[in-house]
Amino acid sequence: MTFEPIMMTDKSDDEGDLDLLTKTKPKTQRPPRYKVLLLNDDYTPMEFVVMVLERFFGMTHAQAFEIMLAVHKKGLAVVGVFSHEIAETKVAQVMDFARRHQHPLQCTMEKEE
């Protein structure tokens, strides 16, 4: 069994062709992305920061250790870039986890430029 496309239109063939040439497809914009930042403090143990990076950002131990050192030396580091909802969730998870373990670790997010 074969099917042939059927075009149904009220316009003549010439008008239909003209419409196809003049219509533009709207461009869809990508949703903004957000950087999740980890901030240094003088009290949170380095081992705890490594554990947070492994647990909530899926990093290997080596990756987490490297990022932890960057946070320690530079004062902050980007630990991931996500959609707004995911970034917001990551920040909340890290902050809640730190509070439950009585650490002042700070995590925040900002719009990627």
Side-chain angles (χ1 to χ4, degrees):
M1 180 185 292
T2 61
F3 294 96
E4 292 184 30
I6 300 173
M7 294 187 72
M8 299 177 76
T9 180
D10 291 338
K11 299 178 182 179
S12 70
D13 286 341
D14 291 339
E15 288 177 5
D17 290 343
L18 184 60
D19 280 349
L20 291 176
L21 295 174
T22 59
K23 289 183 181 175
T24 59
K25 186 176 178 181
K27 289 188 176 184
T28 56
Q29 288 186 337
R30 291 185 60 157
R33 308 276 288 164
Y34 290 81
K35 298 185 284 188
V36 175
L37 303 148
L38 212 52
L39 308 173
N40 188 43
D41 65 73
D42 293 332
Y43 304 101
T44 304
M46 292 180 178
E47 298 81 15
F48 184 79
V49 175
V50 170
M51 180 174 51
V52 164
L53 293 169
E54 291 171 347
R55 182 174 186 153
F56 297 106
F57 297 94
M59 295 182 187
T60 65
H61 187 75
Q63 291 169 326
F65 191 82
E66 189 175 321
I67 296 289
M68 176 276 298
L69 285 178
V71 171
H72 181 69
K73 291 177 182 177
K74 297 177 182 176
L76 62 86
V78 175
V79 295
V81 180
F82 308 95
S83 68
H84 185 270
E85 293 79 14
I86 293 174
E88 201 171 51
T89 300
K90 297 273 187 196
V91 168
Q93 288 173 329
V94 169
M95 296 294 289
D96 181 56
F97 191 70
R99 296 298 158 267
R100 284 189 282 126
H101 288 87
Q102 301 178 346
H103 294 299
L105 182 65
Q106 294 292 304
C107 186
T108 187
M109 63 188 259
E110 65 181 39
K111 195 172 187 178
E112 186 179 49
E113 295 176 19

